[in-house]
Amino acid sequence: SSPDSDGCTPELEKAGLLNKTKIAEGGRKLRKNWGSSWVVLVGNSLVFYKDPKSQSPSSWKPGSSRPESSVDLRGAQLHWANELSSKKNVFKLRTVTGNEFLLQSETDSLIKEWYNTIKNVIERLDRE
Ligand code: I3S
């Protein structure tokens, strides 16, 4: 049987490294501060962790690392947003609470996969 036969553990959909900056908090604009982030899409949430490569080996404890932040995808909006950055492959995620994030990758195929996967989750939640 699957490890989640009781259906209580949300399914991990995707995980990987992306460049991230938060550009608004509660509708209030923030100064950009790009950084590399380990991004995990699980259940209805996008969860951000520190880039494991930026951590010293001694501080890296598998399973005990806490998320830096997490985003509820219910009611969120997703748009390509190359006009908002000089970087390529940028999309913007806006939560119902007015938090806005830009996510970016130098790898075209990778950013398209992330965009499509997040879009699918948002659309699934819209139908519920
Ligand atoms: O959209 P902006 O404000 O031109 O974004 C750039 C700046 O935030 C810049 O920081 P400082 O203004 O604090 O020096 C960042 O270093 C850049 O990365 C930002 O632009 P990009 O085009 O990389 O999103």
Side-chain angles (χ1 to χ4, degrees):
S1 72
S2 82
D4 184 34
S5 46
D6 63 356
C8 288
T9 310
E11 201 176 321
L12 184 121
E13 311 226 21
K14 198 166 177 57
L17 275 181
L18 290 176
N19 297 315
K20 182 195 91 178
T21 182
K22 193 173 187 179
I23 58 164
E25 165 90 38
R28 186 178 293 233
K29 201 168 178 284
L30 295 176
R31 181 97 174 253
K32 272 183 188 166
N33 183 19
W34 284 101
S36 179
S37 203
W38 181 255
V39 184
V40 178
L41 179 59
V42 60
N44 303 345
S45 299
L46 204 57
V47 187
F48 301 119
Y49 295 84
K50 262 193 180 153
D51 178 351
K53 288 190 301 236
S54 74
Q55 294 176 313
S56 65
S58 57
S59 72
W60 174 240
K61 304 183 191 90
S64 73
S65 84
R66 288 218 319 263
E68 294 201 301
S69 63
S70 106
V71 167
D72 183 0
L73 292 175
R74 192 177 292 275
Q77 295 171 5
L78 191 69
H79 298 287
W80 290 110
N82 286 309
E83 76 283 3
L84 295 182
S85 177
S86 61
K87 303 180 195 304
K88 67 170 189 171
N89 298 336
V90 175
F91 63 72
K92 183 172 88 170
L93 179 65
R94 185 187 196 281
T95 68
V96 279
T97 56
N99 293 343
E100 297 184 359
F101 300 86
L102 299 183
L103 293 167
Q104 188 267 349
S105 167
E106 289 301 309
T107 309
D108 299 14
S109 56
L110 203 144
I111 200 72
K112 279 179 196 151
E113 278 178 27
W114 273 103
Y115 181 90
N116 290 332
T117 308
I118 296 171
K119 197 83 172 177
N120 284 338
V121 172
I122 293 172
E123 286 172 359
R124 170 179 36 89
L125 292 169
D126 283 346
R127 287 194 302 270
E128 278 180 10

